Amino acid sequence: MDIKEQVLEIGAKAKAASRELARLSTRKKNAILEAMAEELDAQRALIQQENQKDLEAGRKAGLTNAMLDRLELTDARIDSMIKGLRDVAVLQDPVGEEISTWNRPNGLEIHKRRVPIGVIGIIFESRPNVTCDAAALCFKTSNAVILRGGKEAIHSNLAIAKAMQKGGESKGMPEHCIQLIPTIDRAAVEVMCQMTDYLDLIIPRGGEGLIRAVMKMAHVPVIKHYTGVCHTYVDASADLEMALRIAENAKCQRPGVCNAMETLLVHQDIADEFLPKMGGIFDQNGVEMRGDSRTTSLIGTAIPAKEEDWRTEYVDLILSIKVVDDVKAAIEHINTYGSGHSDAIVAEDEKATVQFLNEVDSATVYVNASTRFTDGAEFGMGAEIGVSTDKLHARGPMGLEELTTYKYVIEGDGQIRE
Amino acid sequence: MDIKEQVLEIGAKAKAASRELARLSTRKKNAILEAMAEELDAQRALIQQENQKDLEAGRKAGLTNAMLDRLELTDARIDSMIKGLRDVAVLQDPVGEEISTWNRPNGLEIHKRRVPIGVIGIIFESRPNVTCDAAALCFKTSNAVILRGGKEAIHSNLAIAKAMQKGGESKGMPEHCIQLIPTIDRAAVEVMCQMTDYLDLIIPRGGEGLIRAVMKMAHVPVIKHYTGVCHTYVDASADLEMALRIAENAKCQRPGVCNAMETLLVHQDIADEFLPKMGGIFDQNGVEMRGDSRTTSLIGTAIPAKEEDWRTEYVDLILSIKVVDDVKAAIEHINTYGSGHSDAIVAEDEKATVQFLNEVDSATVYVNASTRFTDGAEFGMGAEIGVSTDKLHARGPMGLEELTTYKYVIEGDGQIRE
């Protein structure tokens, strides 16, 4: 059987499994998640043994220490996967919820009801814990999942998936609800991206290169997260002490993540007062600053920014800074160079605030808070399958609800159309 | 300027216009829609003159009478476009609605708010009234629209779009909110399908050939309507008189539309009693029946169905009929051969009904009603941009709400992440 046939067979099995899955009660799904957690714990030694194979191969292949670190399944990481399964078990199940109900003059009763999407493909890179986290969220929402992990984690991913399947099936999970593509051949990704008969959605999780490759091939709908070029704009009306705290937090608290600030925009009227203080704080935090000419004249340690800086997601202790004429110019800059992820205004003026919140075309817009809050847990979603920079079908942090769609259920008593 | 540059320029202008559009109040948008209606009325003669050019070219090109009929802009059809604009003006504007609001323990207030999608591309075939209807719905939801109509209607479409632009701009509509691709070159469609920087969504409206062509090229998200292979299943528990009325209505009331029934499934226990009566009614309506062997043994005028019949959308007075063992077999048949559009069960038994409604994986599922009700107007949406057989982002009839997405607006008072 060639790769294409193999992947299509996995797809057909997932589609069949998704029908079975739609029949499981929430109570049964939760019991299955608990059984998966227990089995993961029971197979801890085996999983770590398989993980060792990946780590050895990674060392031989010359992976960096950072990559090897991401790959390693320590006890703490296995504990965290187990806890994740139990956390998902206690979350409310969105499947079956009535989104709205209304009656028509002819007596028809229309129910708009939340249902699973069907079969979801997750294409991800090196962290093997994604196998567990993503499968748990898809399962809780009664979606069948097809996982395709990075080649460097293949043994770890297979071991985790097998433990989840064994644990789940011991409590009546239908076969093929959770499948992992067992080959590292890249052709498998192309087949996944184009098997519209079996896959309802693909969520790629990884770097921009992976996501662009998926987008190029995909005929199946994709929800993606390109980059997080997040901005903080400090308005003339800002409480400057608050602005210093928020900007420091947005850049420095965890610079390597997608909701960290990459560009600071400052209103010209308060730049003289604000930027020297702000620059001092960034200097203390070891932040490299790249600014426009007005910025470099106010912060001695800032170097000149190039055009490409405004589009760059540094994910590092580097920041671009620009002085803008007004809130309109700030909005224009964000809508031109941003990635539609998370952008904040620090302001006391109502008019500037409303304009900013309305006109910045991003998934998440903040007033007087750090962009670092764009996160499923911080939103109170309980779990997160990712953050979307797309507008359809989900935008911003995606939890369980975003893994569902809806159907219309219509009850009549013999209505026909005149 | 080549076609690609021309279409990209239209895209860039639409993107810019979409920012302006997001600022218009509902009252202003409604006044603009009214001005469009007036201008359409004022330019009636000019529009019909341009329409004559298309009709003459169509006759020369050998279009069928049915195609020429679809193309013709009679007074009644222009009246209907004008009325459509006024109807859309009085509909509630979904933009700005709060979908939900909640507070976090740290004091952040999260608002999930409905916003325009941005720029929408509509690719359609011969009916020039789509120019007006689709542009009105996109405008009301503050989306910029790029229209691409069929080559046979190019003069009519341009005349309608110009009238709408002139009328709208007289009341302050930003330029480039409504644009029509002015060339009939097919290369323009490919450029549209791939200009992800400017287009947020494509809705193709037309036959399966058009939609498959768009899907093959598209990198932009697409919401589509493939086919309506709709089923009615008559359960053993059905009120047979009701079943006769519903099945007759679903097939015969308007056979040429997507929500008409194409396959009738009948439980084996009532087939002997039901099918001869049903066959008589279909005979009276001139319906050609194609059945499985159990059906042909019960209806003398039915001819044997082939495998391909179960997948066929006849959109005509033709029907496939199958006797099934039970509700499970009916569900299996529908999920295998159906198109996920609209399917009905006629039954009194609660258990069979619930199973059918839960397990049939279609946008709209009915109990004891005709599938003919799948329609924006019948749902009470007021207007319809189309029906989706996709699951994301909209499913079933799509009105104004389905032309929006959401953003998170978060209000803080200095929160930073610990």
Side-chain angles (χ1 to χ4, degrees), chain A residues 23 249 360 368 407 414 417, chain B residues 249 357 360 368 407 414 417:
Chain A
R23 289 188 201 115
N249 183 260
V360 168
N368 294 337
K407 80 200 284 186
R417 190 146 169 199
Chain B
N249 184 260
L357 296 177
V360 167
N368 294 338
K407 80 199 284 186
R417 191 149 169 197

Side-chain angles (χ1 to χ4, degrees), chain B residues 82 88 100 163 171 173 228 299 313 321 406:
Chain B
I82 292 168
V88 170
S100 52
K171 290 285 177 191
M173 177 173 82
I299 304 178
E313 184 187 31
I321 308 178
Y406 58 84

Side-chain angles (χ1 to χ4, degrees), chain B residues 66-86:
Chain B
M67 289 168 87
L68 289 168
D69 175 65
R70 280 201 287 276
L71 197 52
E72 192 177 358
L73 287 172
T74 60
D75 270 320
R77 283 189 182 156
I78 293 179
D79 288 342
S80 163
M81 289 194 286
I82 292 168
K83 182 175 180 300
L85 285 164
R86 291 182 170 139

Side-chain angles (χ1 to χ4, degrees), chain A residues 16-177:
Chain A
S18 76
R19 311 277 188 214
E20 302 283 323
L21 255 169
R23 289 188 201 115
L24 294 187
S25 68
T26 301
R27 176 184 285 202
K28 185 146 191 176
K29 290 191 288 188
N30 293 345
I32 288 169
L33 286 163
E34 173 59 33
M36 287 177 185
E38 281 166 27
E39 190 64 31
L40 224 55
D41 201 14
Q43 295 201 22
R44 185 183 289 263
L46 182 65
I47 291 167
Q48 288 180 325
Q49 198 177 305
E50 293 299 303
N51 183 239
Q52 278 305 322
K53 291 184 193 167
D54 288 330
L55 287 168
E56 275 161 39
R59 272 180 222 112
K60 274 188 202 154
L63 294 191
T64 63
N65 281 337
M67 289 169 87
L68 288 168
D69 175 65
R70 279 201 288 275
L71 197 52
E72 192 176 359
L73 287 172
T74 60
D75 269 320
R77 282 186 183 159
I78 293 179
D79 287 342
S80 162
M81 289 194 285
I82 292 168
K83 181 173 180 300
L85 285 163
R86 290 181 171 139
D87 287 348
V88 171
V90 301
L91 288 176
Q92 203 186 320
D93 183 357
V95 174
E97 269 174 20
E98 297 269 320
I99 299 169
S100 52
T101 304
W102 65 97
N103 291 292
R104 297 293 302 151
N106 60 5
L108 285 178
E109 196 172 299
I110 303 185
H111 305 264
K112 188 175 182 180
R113 187 176 292 172
R114 221 177 272 293
V115 297
I117 289 174
V119 183
I120 298 177
I122 311 275
I123 300 174
F124 58 105
E125 289 180 330
S126 59
R127 290 179 198 271
N129 59 305
V130 174
T131 303
C132 180
D133 299 348
L137 293 170
C138 290
F139 177 75
K140 176 80 183 208
T141 44
S142 302
N143 292 293
V145 66
I146 299 175
L147 299 149
R148 159 67 191 209
K151 67 173 188 303
E152 57 290 339
I154 183 76
H155 294 96
S156 314
N157 290 335
L158 280 169
I160 293 167
K162 273 183 196 157
M164 293 178 79
Q165 287 155 352
K166 192 181 166 201
E169 288 170 17
S170 77
K171 290 284 178 193
M173 178 172 80
E175 242 189 315
H176 311 305
C177 287

Side-chain angles (χ1 to χ4, degrees), chain B residues 111-184:
Chain B
H111 305 263
K112 187 176 184 181
R113 187 177 294 172
R114 220 176 272 293
V115 297
I117 288 173
V119 183
I120 298 177
I122 311 275
I123 300 173
F124 58 105
E125 290 181 327
S126 58
R127 289 178 198 272
N129 59 304
V130 173
T131 303
C132 180
D133 300 348
L137 294 170
C138 290
F139 177 75
K140 175 83 185 206
T141 44
S142 301
N143 292 293
V145 67
I146 300 175
L147 299 149
R148 158 68 190 209
K151 68 175 187 305
E152 57 290 338
I154 184 74
H155 295 95
S156 314
N157 291 335
L158 281 169
I160 294 168
K162 273 182 198 159
M164 293 178 79
Q165 287 155 353
K166 191 181 166 201
E169 288 169 18
S170 77
K171 290 285 177 191
M173 177 173 82
E175 242 190 314
H176 310 305
C177 287
I178 297 173
Q179 294 179 93
L180 185 93
I181 303 277
T183 165
I184 59 167

